[in-house]
Amino acid sequence: MPDPDIELLAAALRRDSADLTLYARVLAETLTDSLPPGTVRVERTRTLADRLAGREGTVGAVDIALGEQRLSLQTHAGAATGEIRHEVRGIVLSRRPVTLEEWTDALARALAEAAASNARAREAVERFLT
């Protein structure tokens, strides 16, 4: 049976997933601010209008490295594509495409595991739960 705290975290992570643009932005900002530097990589898509207005653009991809697991989420034209990779010292041992729900559950588990030993990861979990 899944840990209730992980279920709660997964539900909190899914909260804004109906609007993928908002979901990717909130996820990227919260994780980038909360996790150690270099853990989260965000790719943005900027239109000419974004550049002229000085805006950052929309989040096109989020890549999160937690331990030996790397979770990637790409958004394009209102659809999300998730991928989970097992990676050791930069070498990808396995990769598997997943649905947004599976990706969110895997992220919740990885954050919960990281929070057990890392104060910044614990902060990220608390930010999603409040």
Side-chain angles (χ1 to χ4, degrees):
M1 178 175 208
D3 184 347
D5 292 337
I6 293 175
E7 290 284 324
L8 185 61
L9 178 57
L13 287 168
R14 269 190 227 103
R15 183 175 31 225
D16 296 320
S17 64
D19 179 350
L20 284 177
T21 304
L22 175 64
Y23 178 70
R25 184 174 52 89
V26 168
L27 189 67
E29 289 173 2
T30 303
L31 293 177
T32 300
D33 290 346
S34 302
L35 293 174
T39 303
V40 180
R41 191 180 80 232
V42 180
E43 293 177 20
R44 297 186 181 274
T45 304
R46 292 178 71 195
T47 63
L48 179 59
D50 289 332
R51 289 184 185 113
L52 292 174
R55 295 186 298 250
E56 294 180 318
T58 58
V59 174
V62 179
D63 190 72
I64 306 150
L66 293 167
E68 293 181 346
Q69 193 169 46
R70 185 172 289 271
L71 299 117
S72 298
L73 182 69
Q74 295 185 347
T75 61
H76 180 70
T81 306
E83 182 179 73
I84 300 173
R85 294 187 303 272
H86 182 140
E87 197 172 286
V88 178
R89 286 180 251 145
I91 297 171
V92 177
L93 300 177
S94 68
R95 72 176 59 221
R96 130 182 110 91
V98 294
T99 65
L100 179 59
E101 186 172 329
E102 289 175 286
W103 187 88
T104 303
D105 289 342
L107 176 61
R109 282 192 303 279
L111 281 173
E113 288 173 18
S117 62
N118 183 303
R120 292 200 69 178
R122 196 167 24 261
E123 178 186 323
V125 169
E126 290 171 1
R127 286 182 74 180
F128 277 111
L129 293 176
T130 56

